Amino acid sequence: MKAIIPAAGQGTRLYPQTHTKPKAMVRLAGRPILGHILQNIAKTRIDEVVVVVGGPMKGQIVQYAKQEFSDRFELTFVEQETADGLGHSIYQTESVARGDELLIALGDMLFENGFDKFLEAHDSLSDTDGSIGVKRVEEPSHYGVVETDETGEILQLVEKPDDPPSDFAISGVYIVNDSDSLFDALGNLVENDIRGAGDEYQLTDALQGMIETDRSLHIFEVEEWYDCGRPDTLLEANRVLLGRTDSYAGDDLDSSVIIPPVDLGDDVQIESSVVGPNVSVDDGTVIRQSIVSDTIVGQDATLRGVNIDESIVGGNAEVFGEANHLNVGDNSSINL
């Protein structure tokens, strides 16, 4: 089995953080989003991973994945040259993934339960060509939605419908046994320019095409998931992941109070400050005379004399003075 991680998205909802890094490389709880995904896949039986990259900053993803995970996975990188949707992204992997069993894990989604649990749920299904992780939600029209029969077999999939056929939202994890049929369906969309929601080639439409050619797809339910493509849910995911540990490390914690859970990178200096709870601080950052909580701080940033909460501060940013809520991009300088 191979894992496919589509990580070519531009990440516009995370501006200004994604002006200088791909969405998958935004850091929370000690590592980039991509690192959390790969770490969770590493706990499964999967040993081959295909990462779809794109755009001028794709090299950051390639370098990170090779540096941190080449000893665990056989890594392949495929480029998506145009941003034409999730279905188009997956279609780019045909030459290296057709014929294999696949786990597709979106590059901006983190899950409360791990991929090993999803594979166990999939393996418990009988006579299926694939399965999709779903969760009941209050506003299904904001998501891809599935309609099932009483056995959990999928009858219909539709992307962001005005009149949802159910409250089962597609969560962003897919397991496909019959990848030949999947790539046939994706090829039909792309080659015939059949675009769906957002004027893009949708993976949901390809899965619906599999059903219409008599393939059997089922669901398994997931617990909470976090769409890390938005600032509020990125911070929520940071809180959840940090909540699994109460440890921290730092080179200089002079006259300061650390309130766990906090993750501090290497060479972090904290002086006369209160940091935590739920704070992730990257390498080389300096925090002085500040109060910082529920915040993600990038590499080599400087905070001085600030009081910030529920904020994201990019790498090499400098923030001085009073503040409450910030979303500061890399290499910024703010004097409040």
Side-chain angles (χ1 to χ4, degrees):
M1 175 175 278
K2 289 182 178 178
I4 297 177
I5 304 175
Q10 187 175 1
T12 56
R13 293 179 299 169
L14 276 180
Y15 282 165
Q17 304 304 320
T18 48
H19 282 310
T20 55
K21 64 176 75 71
K23 177 170 54 175
M25 290 302 296
V26 173
R27 184 183 186 274
L28 72 161
R31 55 172 53 89
I33 297 169
L34 179 64
H36 289 286
I37 295 171
L38 289 171
Q39 183 188 43
N40 285 333
I41 294 175
K43 299 175 183 177
T44 73
R45 62 179 182 267
I46 295 172
D47 55 15
E48 296 182 59
V49 175
V50 181
V51 185
V52 184
V53 298
M57 297 180 289
K58 61 182 180 289
Q60 295 182 36
I61 290 177
V62 174
Q63 180 181 3
Y64 173 80
K66 285 183 175 180
Q67 179 177 314
E68 298 296 329
F69 291 95
S70 60
D71 60 342
R72 172 60 180 82
F73 297 117
E74 179 182 330
L75 294 166
T76 303
F77 301 92
V78 176
E79 185 170 4
Q80 183 186 18
E81 295 183 355
T82 58
D84 279 328
L86 178 58
H88 182 263
S89 177
I90 302 302
Y91 187 53
Q92 307 313 300
T93 71
E94 180 179 20
S95 63
V96 296
R98 179 183 274 272
D100 293 306
E101 291 184 323
L102 303 175
L103 166 71
I104 300 172
L106 301 193
D108 55 3
M109 293 290 186
L110 298 179
F111 295 90
E112 187 79 19
N113 44 359
F115 294 116
D116 54 339
K117 299 295 184 183
F118 302 153
L119 290 171
E120 288 176 10
H122 173 80
D123 292 342
S124 69
L125 300 170
S126 59
D127 192 26
T128 189
D129 295 305
S131 61
I132 300 173
V134 300
K135 188 178 188 300
R136 293 187 186 275
V137 297
E138 293 183 357
E139 297 181 346
S141 61
H142 295 171
Y143 304 88
V145 175
V146 301
E147 179 184 8
T148 69
D149 65 15
E150 64 278 0
T151 69
E153 183 170 1
I154 298 174
L155 303 175
Q156 179 186 10
L157 303 98
V158 60
E159 186 68 27
K160 297 180 180 177
D162 293 330
D163 185 18
S166 80
D167 60 354
F168 276 132
I170 299 172
S171 66
V173 57
Y174 313 78
I175 301 172
V176 180
N177 294 344
D178 186 358
S179 62
D180 286 332
S181 293
L182 173 63
F183 284 112
D184 287 345
L186 288 168
N188 178 60
L189 297 179
V190 175
E191 292 162 16
N192 293 290
D193 197 27
I194 302 172
R195 295 173 182 259
D199 196 33
E200 295 179 333
Y201 303 111
Q202 295 291 345
L203 178 58
T204 302
D205 295 337
L207 295 168
Q208 177 65 27
M210 290 179 66
I211 292 173
E212 292 171 359
T213 55
D214 297 324
R215 298 304 185 269
S216 175
L217 301 178
H218 291 75
I219 63 169
F220 57 87
E221 292 196 50
V222 307
E223 296 176 11
E224 293 298 326
W225 85 81
Y226 305 95
D227 176 2
C228 294
R230 295 187 290 121
D232 55 345
T233 45
L234 180 71
L235 288 169
E236 184 179 3
N238 186 59
R239 286 190 290 269
V240 170
L241 292 171
L242 287 175
R244 296 174 182 172
T245 177
D246 58 2
S247 62
Y248 67 88
D251 294 322
D252 185 356
L253 303 182
D254 185 26
S255 303
S256 298
V257 175
I258 305 298
I259 305 174
V262 168
D263 176 81
L264 303 181
D266 295 332
D267 300 318
V268 171
Q269 299 179 44
I270 300 177
E271 178 183 322
S272 302
S273 298
V274 178
V275 176
N278 305 314
V279 175
S280 177
V281 182
D282 208 343
D283 300 343
T285 284
V286 176
I287 301 175
R288 293 193 174 101
Q289 295 90 44
S290 297
I291 300 174
V292 183
S293 61
D294 282 293
T295 290
I296 298 170
V297 185
Q299 189 172 21
D300 295 320
T302 299
L303 306 181
R304 189 173 69 218
V306 298
N307 181 353
I308 60 174
D309 176 57
E310 296 183 352
S311 299
I312 303 173
V313 178
N316 295 292
E318 298 179 341
V319 183
F320 306 141
E322 293 293 331
N324 269 325
H325 306 293
L326 296 172
N327 190 347
V328 181
D330 292 358
N331 302 298
S332 301
S333 180
I334 297 179
N335 194 339
L336 297 163

